[in-house]
Amino acid sequence: MAKDLESVTAILGEHFENYVILVADSKHSCKVVFDNHFAAKGLVSVAKNAIDDSFGSGMNCFEIDFGPLSDD
């Protein structure tokens, strides 16, 4: 898993100014990887609000579609 996480981190670093990666590595824990502490706090806050709004609106299924990976 560490190699996969490094690969994803490298790809995101090439294409995005800031990123946060949350990966469930065991049943009740996760790994968090980010490029900028302050940006990560903001991104996680915005993501939490988006998820809260989605569940609060009666949506039964929350899905994040990252789409297919393109070969750049």
Side-chain angles (χ1 to χ4, degrees):
M1 182 173 95
K3 188 163 180 72
D4 294 332
L5 190 54
E6 289 175 12
S7 175
V8 169
T9 301
I11 291 168
L12 289 175
E14 289 178 15
H15 298 285
F16 295 97
E17 185 175 344
N18 297 302
Y19 59 86
V20 175
I21 305 169
L22 292 157
V23 180
D25 60 344
S26 63
K27 190 170 183 172
H28 295 288
S29 68
C30 68
K31 289 187 185 284
V32 180
V33 178
F34 52 87
D35 66 331
N36 178 303
H37 173 77
F38 298 108
K41 288 183 72 146
L43 287 167
V44 169
S45 176
V46 168
K48 181 190 177 308
N49 290 340
I51 291 169
D52 288 346
D53 290 346
S54 295
F55 286 126
S57 67
M59 188 169 124
N60 293 328
C61 178
F62 184 82
E63 182 178 330
I64 299 174
D65 181 19
F66 292 101
L69 292 175
S70 62
D71 294 332
D72 289 337

